Amino acid sequence: MEMEDRKALVRLVHVAKHAAKFCVTCGAVTFSDSNCPRCGSAYLNPMRDSRYREVLETLTGKHSCNGMDADELRKVLDFFKTAGFEPKAPSSPKAVTERAERKARYGLMCEIARRAKQVLGPSWMVRVRRFVQVEVLKDDSSDLEDCSDIELRKVIGWINRTEKYARKE
């Protein structure tokens, strides 16, 4: 459990590092997009690696997260939170599952397009759309986006069978 906690802390520190800005006027670390909350200056630059290492060295005596324990990482994270860093709440398991399903669905649609171009030739889009309308959804206004995952697998199966029969001839 300790190792997972440490990994999560390192990840948060690195996210904060990439989001942090450095005020050129007063030297403050901030997460503001417009002006420095300390002095009001509009001259904010992304935090350079050298400045980040200075912060780590000042807070923990180490110049890298690699050698820090969980307490030292919390100290660094607390510094960034004080400067305005607000870590996002972890995604709910349902949201993660939905995102994975959308990604898989998009991947399958891209695979259909790639394989259809190879197998069906230049008119692949018309042929796939017609197959979906006639054989899968049986609706004249249907397209790949309207298909369920099972129906998308039917489309890729049809493309694979078409290629198999073309090779036999």
Side-chain angles (χ1 to χ4, degrees), residues 119-139:
V119 174
L120 304 174
S123 63
W124 70 271
M125 199 176 298
V126 173
R127 291 181 68 187
V128 168
R129 184 175 292 129
R130 190 67 188 148
F131 177 80
V132 168
Q133 290 170 350
V134 173
E135 299 295 327
V136 178
L137 296 175
K138 305 194 182 340
D139 183 4

Side-chain angles (χ1 to χ4, degrees), residues 7-166:
K7 285 182 181 180
L9 288 169
V10 168
R11 199 172 300 121
L12 281 173
V13 167
H14 287 159
V15 168
K17 172 201 173 202
H18 290 290
K21 294 192 174 61
F22 176 74
C23 178
V24 177
T25 307
C26 71
V29 174
T30 183
F31 291 86
S32 173
D33 286 330
S34 54
N35 294 340
C36 175
R38 186 194 275 173
C39 70
S41 172
Y43 298 108
L44 301 175
N45 291 334
M47 180 182 263
R48 290 186 180 169
D49 193 58
S50 59
R51 182 71 61 185
Y52 166 71
R53 303 231 180 258
E54 285 176 17
V55 168
L56 295 182
E57 189 99 23
T58 302
L59 293 171
T60 65
K62 299 175 181 168
H63 68 280
S64 170
C65 289
N66 195 24
M68 292 184 196
D69 62 17
D71 290 333
E72 292 170 323
L73 289 166
R74 281 189 200 93
K75 191 176 198 179
V76 173
L77 190 58
D78 287 342
F79 167 79
F80 283 130
K81 285 180 180 178
T82 303
F85 177 64
E86 295 177 12
K88 294 180 182 176
S91 298
S92 70
K94 182 179 178 184
V96 171
T97 303
E98 288 174 355
R99 191 176 313 122
E101 288 173 356
R102 278 194 312 273
K103 188 175 179 181
R105 180 179 171 75
Y106 177 75
L108 186 55
M109 289 173 62
C110 289
E111 179 67 10
I112 287 172
R114 187 185 69 76
R115 295 276 295 130
K117 286 177 191 175
Q118 289 175 341
V119 174
L120 304 174
S123 63
W124 70 271
M125 199 176 298
V126 173
R127 291 181 68 187
V128 168
R129 184 175 292 129
R130 190 67 188 148
F131 177 80
V132 168
Q133 290 170 350
V134 173
E135 299 295 327
V136 178
L137 296 175
K138 305 194 182 340
D139 183 4
D140 287 341
S141 63
S142 301
D143 207 353
L144 274 179
E145 289 81 21
D146 301 323
C147 294
S148 69
D149 292 346
I150 293 171
E151 293 165 339
L152 288 173
R153 287 197 275 296
K154 285 181 183 178
V155 174
I156 197 77
W158 167 69
I159 293 169
N160 290 337
R161 283 190 308 279
T162 302
E163 180 184 38
K164 181 179 170 185
Y165 293 139

